[in-house]
Amino acid sequence: MSKTYPSWVKALALASALAAPIFLTMMVSLCITLYDGFQYYDFYDWEIIDGHAEAVSDNIYHVTLTLKNHSAYRISLYEYDIQVSCNNKRVDRISPASHDSRLLDSLKNPILPAGQTTEYSFDIVLPKDAEFITLEYYGTSYARQDYLYMKEERNRVYSLDLQPEKQQLKPD
């Protein structure tokens, strides 16, 4: 004589049998992720490959840079990622519109697509005697050195002449 079970018990047993492998797989992947301790998107690498500046009006220049993303993940650039200086003084960018919200400010940040070259431009105000600007950036993530124990030169410095006939980006 066999015992019959109610249909809700049978449904619960079937759901448990299906959920157990999914739960086990999730737990194993979580343990592996915690053990590894890093995400691959932290290993970004990008560089400035070209640039030019044009005078918009009196002492205001429009700088256009060509950026190459060497990593397999997209990168979001922030204002501090590329620092511009002229005559050994830091130059701030002209913001077309400033917001009181961090979310709206973060939406203005350019995104470098994975493995692609992108144009990035901004406006700056320079002193009257400016002949060139200096662009300083790191281009690599801090995670690369922390996880892989790699010693690499992070600080990259380029000079960009402001005279139209000498428009050339050169390493310092």
Side-chain angles (χ1 to χ4, degrees), residues 78-105:
Y78 298 96
E79 189 169 322
Y80 55 81
D81 283 331
I82 300 174
Q83 300 202 6
V84 183
S85 55
C86 181
N87 298 336
N88 293 327
K89 292 182 183 173
R90 186 165 179 225
V91 177
D92 290 326
R93 296 181 181 104
I94 299 173
S95 178
S98 67
H99 306 283
D100 294 333
S101 167
R102 281 230 186 259
L103 174 64
L104 292 176
D105 283 339

Side-chain angles (χ1 to χ4, degrees), residues 10 20 25 38 46 53 59 68 126:
K10 292 177 186 177
T25 305
F38 64 88
W46 61 274
N59 298 340
K68 172 71 175 166
L126 298 176

Side-chain angles (χ1 to χ4, degrees), residues 104-150:
L104 292 176
D105 283 339
S106 68
L107 292 175
K108 295 188 307 183
N109 295 335
I111 294 175
L112 305 179
Q116 294 183 20
T117 303
T118 307
E119 297 255 327
Y120 171 53
S121 60
F122 52 88
D123 294 335
I124 52 175
V125 177
L126 298 176
K128 290 188 184 292
D129 61 343
E131 295 179 7
F132 67 93
I133 57 173
T134 304
L135 303 165
E136 183 176 354
Y137 69 101
Y138 292 108
T140 55
S141 66
Y142 293 106
R144 287 169 58 107
Q145 185 170 355
D146 292 343
Y147 293 131
L148 303 178
Y149 305 106
M150 298 169 61

Side-chain angles (χ1 to χ4, degrees), residues 15 19 22-24 27 29 34 41 55 62 69 75 78 85 91 99 103 107 119 131 137 144 166-167 171:
I22 295 171
F23 178 75
L24 239 160
M27 293 307 295
S29 68
L34 291 176
Y41 58 78
H62 184 74
N69 182 358
I75 301 166
Y78 298 96
S85 55
V91 177
H99 306 283
L103 174 64
L107 292 175
E119 297 255 327
E131 295 179 7
Y137 69 101
R144 287 169 58 107
K166 295 184 184 178
Q167 288 279 317

